[in-house]
Amino acid sequence: MSHSTVPRSGAKTTTAGPAKIPAPSGGDTGGQKKRPAEKLSLRLRLRRDRTLILMTLPALVLLLVFNYLPILGNIVAFQDYDPYISDNGIVSMLHSPWVGLENFQRIFEDSAFWNAVQNTLVLFFLQLVLYFPIPIALALVINSVVRPRVRALSQAILYLPHFFSWVLVIAVFQQLFGGAGILSQLLRQHGYDGLDIMTDPDTFKFLVTAESVWKDAGWGIIVFLAALSSVPTDLYEAAAMDGAGRWRRMWHVTLPALRPVIALLLVLRVGDALTVGFEQILLQRDAVGPGASEVLDTFVWWNGVRNQDFGYAAAAGLIKGVVSLGLVLAANKVAHLMGEQGVYKK
Protein backbone atom coordinates (compact mmCIF):
# COMPACT_ATOMS: atom_id res chain seq x y z
CA MET A 1 0.00 0.00 0.00
CA SER A 2 1.53 3.25 -1.12
CA HIS A 3 1.46 6.40 0.89
CA SER A 4 0.95 9.66 -0.87
CA THR A 5 3.59 12.31 -0.40
CA VAL A 6 1.21 15.14 -1.21
CA PRO A 7 0.12 16.95 1.95
CA ARG A 8 -3.49 16.96 2.82
CA SER A 9 -5.49 20.08 2.50
CA GLY A 10 -5.51 22.19 5.61
CA ALA A 11 -2.36 20.57 6.96
CA LYS A 12 0.44 22.94 8.00
CA THR A 13 3.82 22.45 6.44
CA THR A 14 7.12 23.62 7.82
CA THR A 15 10.08 24.66 5.70
CA ALA A 16 13.66 24.92 6.84
CA GLY A 17 15.13 28.37 6.72
CA PRO A 18 16.22 31.30 8.84
CA ALA A 19 13.60 32.82 11.04
CA LYS A 20 12.59 36.35 10.23
CA ILE A 21 13.72 39.02 12.64
CA PRO A 22 11.01 41.52 13.44
CA ALA A 23 11.72 45.04 12.37
CA PRO A 24 12.58 47.45 15.15
CA SER A 25 9.94 49.81 16.32
CA GLY A 26 9.97 53.42 15.29
CA GLY A 27 9.83 52.77 11.56
CA ASP A 28 13.62 52.30 11.13
CA THR A 29 13.92 49.23 8.93
CA GLY A 30 17.59 49.77 8.14
CA GLY A 31 18.86 48.33 11.40
CA GLN A 32 19.20 49.43 14.97
CA LYS A 33 21.24 52.54 15.67
CA LYS A 34 24.36 52.11 17.76
CA ARG A 35 24.43 53.89 21.04
CA PRO A 36 27.22 56.44 21.38
CA ALA A 37 30.07 55.24 23.52
CA GLU A 38 29.85 56.58 27.02
CA LYS A 39 32.75 58.82 27.99
CA LEU A 40 34.70 57.36 30.86
CA SER A 41 35.66 59.55 33.76
CA LEU A 42 39.28 60.36 34.49
CA ARG A 43 39.27 58.05 37.52
CA LEU A 44 38.04 55.09 35.48
CA ARG A 45 40.56 55.75 32.71
CA LEU A 46 43.41 55.92 35.20
CA ARG A 47 42.26 52.68 36.77
CA ARG A 48 41.94 51.01 33.38
CA ASP A 49 45.37 52.15 32.13
CA ARG A 50 47.28 51.97 35.41
CA THR A 51 49.61 49.23 34.09
CA LEU A 52 50.62 51.27 31.04
CA ILE A 53 51.04 54.39 33.17
CA LEU A 54 53.38 52.55 35.55
CA MET A 55 55.40 51.27 32.59
CA THR A 56 55.86 54.76 31.14
CA LEU A 57 56.45 56.49 34.47
CA PRO A 58 60.28 56.02 34.51
CA ALA A 59 60.56 57.47 31.00
CA LEU A 60 58.38 60.43 31.99
CA VAL A 61 60.56 61.08 35.06
CA LEU A 62 63.73 61.03 32.95
CA LEU A 63 62.12 63.36 30.41
CA LEU A 64 61.07 65.75 33.16
CA VAL A 65 64.47 65.78 34.90
CA PHE A 66 66.72 66.04 31.86
CA ASN A 67 64.55 67.93 29.35
CA TYR A 68 62.04 70.13 31.12
CA LEU A 69 63.62 71.12 34.43
CA PRO A 70 66.74 72.54 32.65
CA ILE A 71 64.42 74.97 30.86
CA LEU A 72 64.29 76.92 34.11
CA GLY A 73 67.99 77.66 33.59
CA ASN A 74 67.09 79.97 30.71
CA ILE A 75 66.71 82.68 33.32
CA VAL A 76 70.50 83.00 33.02
CA ALA A 77 69.93 84.71 29.64
CA PHE A 78 68.54 87.71 31.52
CA GLN A 79 71.37 87.87 34.08
CA ASP A 80 75.07 88.54 34.30
CA TYR A 81 75.47 85.03 35.61
CA ASP A 82 78.45 84.28 37.83
CA PRO A 83 78.77 80.58 38.73
CA TYR A 84 81.51 81.34 41.28
CA ILE A 85 79.17 83.10 43.71
CA SER A 86 78.32 79.77 45.29
CA ASP A 87 78.98 76.09 44.86
CA ASN A 88 75.24 75.65 44.38
CA GLY A 89 74.13 76.63 40.89
CA ILE A 90 70.65 77.62 42.05
CA VAL A 91 72.08 79.96 44.66
CA SER A 92 74.32 81.50 42.01
CA MET A 93 71.28 82.11 39.80
CA LEU A 94 69.39 83.77 42.64
CA HIS A 95 72.27 86.12 43.54
CA SER A 96 73.51 87.00 40.02
CA PRO A 97 72.69 90.57 38.91
CA TRP A 98 69.70 91.05 36.66
CA VAL A 99 70.48 92.74 33.30
CA GLY A 100 67.17 92.32 31.47
CA LEU A 101 67.51 92.32 27.66
CA GLU A 102 71.10 93.51 27.60
CA ASN A 103 72.45 90.14 26.48
CA PHE A 104 69.99 90.00 23.58
CA GLN A 105 70.94 93.50 22.52
CA ARG A 106 74.61 92.49 22.48
CA ILE A 107 73.80 89.43 20.36
CA PHE A 108 71.91 91.36 17.69
CA GLU A 109 74.82 93.81 17.44
CA ASP A 110 77.46 91.07 17.21
CA SER A 111 78.66 90.35 13.66
CA ALA A 112 80.04 86.95 14.77
CA PHE A 113 76.52 85.87 15.73
CA TRP A 114 75.11 86.77 12.31
CA ASN A 115 78.02 84.98 10.65
CA ALA A 116 77.14 81.87 12.67
CA VAL A 117 73.47 82.23 11.63
CA GLN A 118 74.47 82.51 7.98
CA ASN A 119 76.73 79.44 8.13
CA THR A 120 74.00 77.47 9.93
CA LEU A 121 71.35 78.28 7.34
CA VAL A 122 73.68 77.55 4.41
CA LEU A 123 74.59 74.16 5.90
CA PHE A 124 70.93 73.40 6.54
CA PHE A 125 69.85 74.10 2.96
CA LEU A 126 72.78 72.14 1.55
CA GLN A 127 71.95 69.14 3.73
CA LEU A 128 68.25 69.46 2.92
CA VAL A 129 68.88 69.48 -0.84
CA LEU A 130 71.82 67.04 -1.02
CA TYR A 131 71.37 64.82 2.03
CA PHE A 132 67.61 64.37 2.44
CA PRO A 133 66.80 62.83 -1.01
CA ILE A 134 69.71 60.36 -0.94
CA PRO A 135 68.20 57.89 1.61
CA ILE A 136 64.95 57.91 -0.39
CA ALA A 137 66.78 57.10 -3.64
CA LEU A 138 68.91 54.40 -2.02
CA ALA A 139 65.84 52.83 -0.37
CA LEU A 140 64.09 52.66 -3.74
CA VAL A 141 67.15 51.05 -5.33
CA ILE A 142 67.54 48.48 -2.54
CA ASN A 143 63.82 47.73 -2.58
CA SER A 144 64.00 46.93 -6.30
CA VAL A 145 66.69 44.28 -5.79
CA VAL A 146 65.19 40.82 -6.27
CA ARG A 147 67.65 38.69 -4.33
CA PRO A 148 67.12 38.95 -0.55
CA ARG A 149 70.79 38.27 0.27
CA VAL A 150 72.03 41.08 -1.96
CA ARG A 151 69.41 43.40 -0.48
CA ALA A 152 70.38 42.54 3.12
CA LEU A 153 74.11 42.88 2.38
CA SER A 154 73.66 46.29 0.72
CA GLN A 155 71.56 47.54 3.61
CA ALA A 156 74.12 46.35 6.18
CA ILE A 157 77.03 48.00 4.34
CA LEU A 158 75.22 51.32 4.05
CA TYR A 159 74.05 51.22 7.67
CA LEU A 160 77.47 50.39 9.17
CA PRO A 161 78.89 53.99 9.21
CA HIS A 162 76.00 55.06 11.44
CA PHE A 163 77.77 53.34 14.35
CA PHE A 164 81.04 55.22 13.78
CA SER A 165 81.91 58.19 15.97
CA TRP A 166 82.54 61.54 14.35
CA VAL A 167 86.21 61.24 15.26
CA LEU A 168 86.48 58.09 13.16
CA VAL A 169 84.45 59.56 10.30
CA ILE A 170 86.65 62.65 10.10
CA ALA A 171 89.78 60.45 10.31
CA VAL A 172 88.54 58.40 7.33
CA PHE A 173 87.90 61.56 5.29
CA GLN A 174 91.31 62.90 6.33
CA GLN A 175 92.97 59.78 4.93
CA LEU A 176 91.06 60.20 1.68
CA PHE A 177 90.94 63.95 1.06
CA GLY A 178 93.62 65.42 3.34
CA GLY A 179 96.93 66.93 2.26
CA ALA A 180 98.65 63.55 2.65
CA GLY A 181 95.58 61.53 1.70
CA ILE A 182 95.07 59.03 -1.08
CA LEU A 183 93.56 61.54 -3.52
CA SER A 184 96.42 64.01 -3.05
CA GLN A 185 99.05 61.29 -3.51
CA LEU A 186 97.42 60.08 -6.73
CA LEU A 187 97.43 63.62 -8.11
CA ARG A 188 101.12 64.06 -7.28
CA GLN A 189 102.03 60.75 -8.89
CA HIS A 190 100.47 61.95 -12.16
CA GLY A 191 102.19 65.32 -12.13
CA TYR A 192 99.48 67.48 -10.56
CA ASP A 193 99.56 69.57 -7.42
CA GLY A 194 98.29 68.04 -4.22
CA LEU A 195 94.81 68.78 -2.94
CA ASP A 196 93.81 69.37 0.69
CA ILE A 197 90.04 69.57 0.91
CA MET A 198 90.01 69.18 4.69
CA THR A 199 91.54 72.65 5.24
CA ASP A 200 89.80 74.53 2.43
CA PRO A 201 87.23 77.02 3.81
CA ASP A 202 85.49 77.32 0.42
CA THR A 203 84.60 73.62 0.24
CA PHE A 204 84.05 73.08 3.96
CA LYS A 205 80.23 73.17 3.74
CA PHE A 206 80.21 70.53 1.01
CA LEU A 207 82.68 68.45 3.02
CA VAL A 208 80.44 68.52 6.10
CA THR A 209 77.43 67.53 3.99
CA ALA A 210 79.34 64.63 2.42
CA GLU A 211 80.38 63.39 5.86
CA SER A 212 76.77 63.52 7.07
CA VAL A 213 75.55 61.63 4.01
CA TRP A 214 78.16 58.90 4.41
CA LYS A 215 77.49 58.48 8.12
CA ASP A 216 73.71 58.75 8.44
CA ALA A 217 72.21 57.81 5.07
CA GLY A 218 71.89 54.18 6.21
CA TRP A 219 69.61 55.19 9.08
CA GLY A 220 67.24 56.96 6.69
CA ILE A 221 67.23 53.93 4.41
CA ILE A 222 65.84 51.75 7.22
CA VAL A 223 62.99 54.20 7.83
CA PHE A 224 61.97 54.34 4.16
CA LEU A 225 62.35 50.60 3.64
CA ALA A 226 59.99 50.04 6.56
CA ALA A 227 57.48 52.36 4.89
CA LEU A 228 57.90 50.55 1.57
CA SER A 229 57.21 47.17 3.18
CA SER A 230 53.69 48.35 4.09
CA VAL A 231 52.73 49.12 0.48
CA PRO A 232 50.21 46.47 -0.75
CA THR A 233 51.51 44.38 -3.63
CA ASP A 234 48.04 44.54 -5.20
CA LEU A 235 48.71 48.14 -6.17
CA TYR A 236 51.86 47.17 -8.09
CA GLU A 237 50.05 44.27 -9.78
CA ALA A 238 47.13 46.48 -10.78
CA ALA A 239 49.49 49.14 -12.15
CA ALA A 240 51.43 46.49 -14.10
CA MET A 241 48.20 45.11 -15.59
CA ASP A 242 47.30 48.64 -16.70
CA GLY A 243 50.60 48.80 -18.60
CA ALA A 244 52.61 50.91 -16.17
CA GLY A 245 56.37 50.35 -16.36
CA ARG A 246 58.82 50.35 -13.49
CA TRP A 247 59.27 54.12 -13.42
CA ARG A 248 55.55 54.84 -13.62
CA ARG A 249 54.86 52.35 -10.81
CA MET A 250 57.52 54.09 -8.73
CA TRP A 251 56.03 57.52 -9.46
CA HIS A 252 52.35 56.66 -9.00
CA VAL A 253 52.51 53.93 -6.34
CA THR A 254 55.78 54.02 -4.39
CA LEU A 255 56.29 57.74 -3.90
CA PRO A 256 52.64 58.42 -2.84
CA ALA A 257 53.03 55.63 -0.26
CA LEU A 258 56.18 57.30 1.06
CA ARG A 259 54.68 60.78 1.18
CA PRO A 260 53.46 60.63 4.82
CA VAL A 261 56.89 59.46 6.02
CA ILE A 262 58.66 62.04 3.88
CA ALA A 263 56.43 64.80 5.28
CA LEU A 264 57.05 63.69 8.88
CA LEU A 265 60.84 63.49 8.47
CA LEU A 266 60.89 66.79 6.62
CA VAL A 267 59.05 68.51 9.47
CA LEU A 268 61.53 67.06 11.97
CA ARG A 269 64.42 68.07 9.72
CA VAL A 270 63.17 71.64 9.51
CA GLY A 271 62.81 71.75 13.29
CA ASP A 272 66.42 70.61 13.54
CA ALA A 273 67.56 73.21 11.01
CA LEU A 274 69.62 75.24 13.47
CA THR A 275 71.39 72.13 14.81
CA VAL A 276 73.73 71.00 12.05
CA GLY A 277 76.20 68.90 14.00
CA PHE A 278 78.04 70.30 17.00
CA GLU A 279 80.69 67.61 17.47
CA GLN A 280 81.33 67.21 13.75
CA ILE A 281 82.01 70.91 13.20
CA LEU A 282 83.85 71.47 16.47
CA LEU A 283 86.42 68.82 15.54
CA GLN A 284 87.17 70.63 12.27
CA ARG A 285 86.81 74.22 13.48
CA ASP A 286 90.51 74.91 13.90
CA ALA A 287 91.38 73.45 10.46
CA VAL A 288 89.30 75.93 8.44
CA GLY A 289 88.81 78.77 10.93
CA PRO A 290 85.68 80.11 12.64
CA GLY A 291 84.73 82.26 9.66
CA ALA A 292 83.74 79.22 7.58
CA SER A 293 82.82 76.75 10.32
CA GLU A 294 81.17 78.74 13.10
CA VAL A 295 77.52 77.72 13.61
CA LEU A 296 75.09 78.52 16.40
CA ASP A 297 76.01 75.51 18.52
CA THR A 298 79.74 76.20 18.38
CA PHE A 299 79.03 79.90 18.93
CA VAL A 300 77.17 79.08 22.16
CA TRP A 301 79.91 76.69 23.28
CA TRP A 302 82.74 79.12 22.53
CA ASN A 303 81.15 82.04 24.37
CA GLY A 304 79.68 80.05 27.22
CA VAL A 305 82.34 77.44 27.99
CA ARG A 306 85.56 78.97 26.66
CA ASN A 307 84.90 82.65 27.35
CA GLN A 308 82.63 81.91 30.36
CA ASP A 309 80.11 84.53 29.27
CA PHE A 310 77.24 82.33 30.40
CA GLY A 311 74.42 84.87 30.15
CA TYR A 312 75.41 85.84 26.61
CA ALA A 313 75.63 82.20 25.48
CA ALA A 314 72.32 81.36 27.16
CA ALA A 315 70.62 84.21 25.30
CA ALA A 316 71.95 82.88 21.98
CA GLY A 317 70.75 79.39 22.84
CA LEU A 318 67.32 80.70 23.83
CA ILE A 319 66.97 82.51 20.50
CA LYS A 320 67.89 79.32 18.71
CA GLY A 321 65.30 77.31 20.66
CA VAL A 322 62.48 79.77 20.01
CA VAL A 323 63.25 79.94 16.28
CA SER A 324 63.45 76.13 16.05
CA LEU A 325 60.06 75.80 17.74
CA GLY A 326 58.57 78.28 15.29
CA LEU A 327 60.03 76.33 12.35
CA VAL A 328 58.50 73.08 13.64
CA LEU A 329 55.06 74.66 14.01
CA ALA A 330 55.26 76.29 10.57
CA ALA A 331 56.43 73.11 8.85
CA ASN A 332 53.75 71.08 10.60
CA LYS A 333 51.10 73.57 9.45
CA VAL A 334 52.33 73.19 5.87
CA ALA A 335 52.09 69.41 6.23
CA HIS A 336 48.46 69.75 7.37
CA LEU A 337 47.68 71.96 4.38
CA MET A 338 49.14 69.26 2.12
CA GLY A 339 46.83 66.67 3.69
CA GLU A 340 49.47 64.94 5.81
CA GLN A 341 49.46 64.33 9.55
CA GLY A 342 52.92 65.76 10.32
CA VAL A 343 54.23 65.50 13.87
CA TYR A 344 50.78 65.70 15.46
CA LYS A 345 47.18 65.76 14.26
CA LYS A 346 45.09 68.88 13.88
Side-chain angles (χ1 to χ4, degrees):
M1 182 177 178
S2 61
H3 298 279
S4 175
T5 59
V6 180
R8 298 178 181 178
S9 59
K12 296 181 179 180
T13 59
T14 57
T15 57
K20 293 184 179 180
I21 302 175
S25 60
D28 186 6
T29 60
Q32 295 181 350
K33 293 183 179 180
K34 295 182 178 180
R35 293 182 178 180
E38 296 181 359
K39 188 176 180 180
L40 298 178
S41 63
L42 178 60
R43 179 182 177 183
L44 291 177
R45 283 183 292 171
L46 292 176
R47 184 177 179 182
R48 181 193 61 185
D49 301 332
R50 61 182 181 274
T51 304
L52 297 177
I53 294 174
L54 291 176
M55 289 175 60
T56 57
L57 188 59
L60 292 176
V61 172
L62 290 176
L63 187 67
L64 177 65
V65 172
F66 292 101
N67 290 84
Y68 286 95
L69 286 181
I71 295 178
L72 300 176
N74 286 325
I75 194 175
V76 175
F78 304 93
Q79 295 178 329
D80 185 11
Y81 179 69
D82 186 4
Y84 304 107
I85 295 178
S86 174
D87 295 335
N88 191 329
I90 298 179
V91 176
S92 299
M93 290 173 55
L94 295 176
H95 291 82
S96 295
W98 187 268
V99 296
L101 300 177
E102 181 180 342
N103 290 323
F104 296 92
Q105 182 179 358
R106 290 173 53 198
I107 285 176
F108 291 131
E109 295 175 354
D110 192 352
S111 60
F113 171 77
W114 293 111
N115 178 64
V117 172
Q118 179 181 356
N119 291 336
T120 303
L121 294 177
V122 170
L123 278 175
F124 164 68
F125 284 114
L126 279 177
Q127 293 184 7
L128 186 65
V129 173
L130 301 178
Y131 166 71
F132 191 77
I134 290 179
I136 303 175
L138 291 176
L140 294 176
V141 171
I142 293 176
N143 189 65
S144 63
V145 177
V146 179
R147 296 184 178 181
R149 291 186 178 180
V150 178
R151 184 188 306 176
L153 180 62
S154 302
Q155 184 177 346
I157 293 175
L158 292 172
Y159 186 54
L160 182 62
H162 178 73
F163 297 99
F164 296 164
S165 65
W166 278 115
V167 176
L168 181 57
V169 171
I170 294 173
V172 171
F173 273 77
Q174 180 68 36
Q175 295 299 320
L176 293 175
F177 305 109
I182 297 175
L183 179 60
S184 183
Q185 293 180 10
L186 288 176
L187 291 175
R188 292 192 183 97
Q189 290 176 1
H190 291 81
Y192 298 98
D193 295 333
L195 186 64
D196 190 3
I197 301 178
M198 301 298 294
T199 59
D200 188 359
D202 297 330
T203 60
F204 176 74
K205 297 176 179 61
F206 298 97
L207 174 67
V208 171
T209 304
E211 292 170 351
S212 299
V213 170
W214 185 72
K215 185 178 186 297
D216 293 327
W219 172 256
I221 291 174
I222 290 180
V223 176
F224 290 112
L225 284 177
L228 287 174
S229 64
S230 63
V231 181
T233 57
D234 299 343
L235 297 178
Y236 292 105
E237 295 174 357
M241 293 179 63
D242 291 339
R246 174 177 296 182
W247 292 105
R248 293 187 68 86
R249 292 198 300 267
M250 181 182 300
W251 182 260
H252 293 287
V253 178
T254 306
L255 289 180
L258 289 178
R259 193 174 68 174
V261 180
I262 294 174
L264 174 61
L265 295 181
L266 189 59
V267 170
L268 296 177
R269 190 68 181 176
V270 170
D272 207 27
L274 304 183
T275 304
V276 289
F278 168 74
E279 183 181 359
Q280 175 191 9
I281 296 177
L282 184 63
L283 291 171
Q284 304 175 87
R285 186 177 186 272
D286 294 336
V288 296
S293 63
E294 192 81 289
V295 293
L296 286 176
D297 283 343
T298 57
F299 178 83
V300 172
W301 175 83
W302 186 265
N303 287 277
V305 178
R306 294 296 299 269
N307 295 339
Q308 296 189 359
D309 195 349
F310 298 100
Y312 185 72
L318 185 58
I319 293 174
K320 173 195 166 185
V322 172
V323 174
S324 298
L325 177 60
L327 290 175
V328 169
L329 297 177
N332 199 71
K333 182 64 176 179
V334 173
H336 289 167
L337 294 177
M338 295 174 61
E340 302 298 336
Q341 178 176 341
V343 179
Y344 56 87
K345 295 181 180 180
K346 296 181 180 180

